Amino acid sequence: MIEFRDVRKSFGEARPVLDGLSFSVAEGETLALVGPSGCGKTTALKLVNRLLDHDSGEVRVFGRDVRGEDPIALRRRLGYVIQEAGLFPHWSVKENVEAVPRLLGWKQAERHARSEELLALVALPAAEYGERRPRQLSGGQRQRVGVARALAADPPVLLMDEPFGALDPIARRSMQKEFLDWKRRLRKAVLLVTHDLREAFRLGDRVAILDRGKARQTGTPREILAAPADDFVREFVSDELPGAPP
Amino acid sequence: MLVVVSTALAVGIGVPLGVALTRRPRLARPVLGFANVVQTIPSLALFGFLIPIPFIGGIGARTAIAALIVYALLPILRNTHAGIASVDPAVIESATGLGMTKRQRLWLVELPLALPVVLAGVRIATVVSIGLATIAAAIGAGGLGVLIYRGVAIVDHRLILAGAVPAALLALAADAGLGFAERRLR
């Protein structure tokens, strides 16, 4: 569903942010991009929905080069969840969830049916939460609305940038559990960015460990733990997961 | 009345211009700076300057409206710019990421969120304009200022108050009304 081939991107500084990044995400699979800050993971994510454009290499979504796609139409087919949720504070929960269907011109009845269904999925029943404003929700609830909003037009691909990064550890843990549950039910291709290796291992079917704009190792958590590709990966894993086998 | 016309026109110019400045950040400083400088010109002098200018100048209400627009423009322009610039970047990013066009983002997200700040600017502009409008009587624009000038000329306090009190009440009423609208929107 998503494929990066030798992608390079620089913002004009000496060192490029992405320096030959390659990976792919299959249908129904979750790939977690993880790495220290500045490794280029968020930049990589934004290349997919063309919030940024790459300098060279190839970014393909749905089998087609993103550079040939209309960015607006492309984004409406890609769910997007960011750290602080970025909900529209002047709209109700329901209106937030219905944002993309509205942009796509769905009929009101269809939009309402869809938002009710999704709010039920994220355990915020529309009858109770639909009319609330984002500021009347907790951080975890806002993040769930963010997920529901991203899923509204039923995109086959979901892009998530530190989706649970702003939550306290307890809310974070329960959101991670819910994520695994949604994932099983919805079978979306998910590209997830996180700085937290523990989260990457928990949520990702496969994990790509990034450093300085390159994937140092891509594999299942088991593969990475069993056979770290190089010293950077070995050190990163042992720093982030004390007690894991060396 | 003078103020209604001039403020409405100043909104018509100031809001689009303020939005344009958020799109061209490099122009924002010089333009806001220029508007600031214009603001410091004494109003009577500005009325005087405008009189010889063809089309907008001359004696009468038209000149006064042009001058009042100039004064009302700065607070509206500045607040529109500040209001839009202060929208949470995460909200902008998600609006873009969800696939809104620039126009949709402006109308559905940025302007509604900036509205209370824009309205605060309109409120300041209105109150300032009501005060200034009384001075416009000096160039024959009419209005409550006529009573004040006449009262000053013949040293009649009652006549001065007959112009000044309604003007002050008008300013207070406009301030309260727009302040109420602003709070409703927050």
Side-chain angles (χ1 to χ4, degrees):
Chain A
M1 300 296 270
I2 303 177
E3 198 177 358
F4 275 56
R5 260 187 236 153
D6 199 27
V7 173
R8 283 162 211 276
K9 167 78 183 168
S10 91
F11 290 112
E13 305 98 359
R15 194 167 62 78
V17 179
L18 296 180
D19 191 10
L21 178 64
S22 300
F23 63 80
S24 66
V25 188
E27 215 171 320
E29 177 191 46
T30 298
L31 178 76
L33 296 180
V34 64
S37 62
C39 70
K41 51 194 191 295
T42 293
T43 303
L45 189 86
K46 288 182 176 172
L47 296 179
V48 180
N49 61 1
R50 294 199 61 188
L51 289 176
L52 296 172
D53 280 325
H54 53 289
D55 301 333
S56 68
E58 236 184 339
V59 177
R60 299 177 81 85
V61 183
F62 311 119
R64 283 153 66 177
D65 194 318
V66 290
R67 279 195 284 208
E69 302 278 306
D70 169 37
I72 302 295
L74 177 69
R75 288 170 194 153
R76 292 177 186 176
R77 287 185 289 149
L78 299 168
Y80 188 45
V81 185
I82 59 177
Q83 177 162 1
E84 306 279 357
L87 298 181
F88 304 126
H90 56 309
W91 287 359
S92 70
V93 164
K94 232 167 131 174
E95 287 168 331
N96 266 284
V97 176
E98 290 172 18
V100 179
R102 203 170 128 186
L103 295 176
L104 292 170
W106 290 20
K107 290 200 184 63
Q108 200 181 28
E110 293 173 44
R111 287 200 320 247
H112 288 347
R114 184 68 183 153
S115 66
E116 274 183 30
E117 183 188 341
L118 284 167
L119 286 170
L121 175 79
V122 298
L124 295 171
E128 194 182 340
Y129 294 95
E131 301 306 323
R132 293 201 196 176
R133 293 295 166 108
R135 64 167 173 271
Q136 296 167 297
L137 303 177
S138 70
Q141 289 171 334
R142 276 201 290 274
Q143 209 57 52
R144 281 182 224 190
V145 177
V147 171
R149 183 176 64 176
L151 291 169
D154 205 14
V157 171
L158 212 53
L159 306 174
M160 306 179 97
D161 189 359
E162 298 277 4
F164 314 130
L167 304 178
D168 62 77
I170 298 171
R172 189 180 177 128
R173 189 78 190 93
S174 80
M175 288 293 286
Q176 290 171 345
K177 275 190 191 136
E178 284 182 55
F179 173 87
L180 291 172
D181 178 51
W182 302 328
K183 195 179 107 167
R184 231 183 343 265
R185 281 201 257 171
L186 302 169
R187 306 290 307 152
K188 303 280 181 198
V190 181
L191 182 61
L192 177 119
V193 162
T194 176
H195 64 276
D196 176 1
L197 186 66
R198 212 173 276 272
E199 180 166 272
F201 277 5
R202 244 173 226 154
L203 304 183
D205 300 314
R206 287 188 308 133
V207 174
I209 296 183
L210 266 59
D211 177 47
R212 301 186 189 197
K214 279 196 207 36
R216 291 302 188 99
Q217 184 171 13
T218 308
T220 63
R222 199 181 294 268
E223 285 164 5
I224 292 174
L225 281 175
D230 59 18
D231 287 345
F232 174 82
V233 174
R234 189 172 301 118
E235 226 165 274
F236 186 69
V237 170
S238 67
D239 284 353
E240 296 284 317
L241 296 175
Chain B
M1 195 154 146
L2 294 174
V3 173
V4 175
V5 176
S6 64
T7 308
L9 288 171
V11 170
I13 301 167
V15 173
L17 197 56
V19 170
L21 289 185
T22 61
R23 303 297 188 253
R24 303 255 182 292
R26 238 179 304 165
L27 281 179
R29 275 173 68 100
V31 171
L32 289 174
F34 177 71
N36 260 324
V37 170
V38 169
Q39 198 82 359
T40 61
I41 302 173
S43 52
L44 197 53
L46 186 63
F47 287 133
F49 282 142
L50 287 176
I51 291 177
I53 296 175
F55 302 114
I56 53 168
I59 298 289
R62 210 169 27 164
T63 312
I65 287 171
L68 290 177
I69 290 172
V70 169
Y71 283 107
L73 205 54
L74 174 72
I76 294 173
L77 185 64
R78 196 175 41 202
N79 278 39
T80 304
H81 179 258
I84 290 195
S86 70
V87 174
D88 182 356
V91 170
I92 303 288
E93 192 191 318
S94 67
T96 313
L98 291 180
M100 285 192 188
T101 62
K102 281 189 179 148
R103 183 170 304 201
Q104 288 167 332
R105 200 177 74 200
L106 177 67
W107 287 101
L108 297 175
V109 178
E110 291 173 298
L111 278 179
L113 288 173
L115 197 56
V117 184
V118 174
L119 212 59
V122 174
R123 184 173 154 205
I124 295 165
T126 309
V127 172
V128 168
S129 297
I130 291 173
L132 289 175
T134 58
I135 300 174
I139 55 162
L144 292 166
V146 174
L147 297 176
I148 299 176
Y149 275 100
R150 213 173 276 161
V152 171
I154 61 170
V155 203
D156 182 341
H157 294 303
R158 281 174 310 170
L159 205 52
I160 296 176
L161 289 176
V165 171
L169 288 178
L170 212 57
L172 286 173
D175 187 49
L178 288 167
F180 177 72
E182 196 186 312
R183 275 190 303 279
R184 281 286 302 273
L185 283 170
R186 274 191 203 276

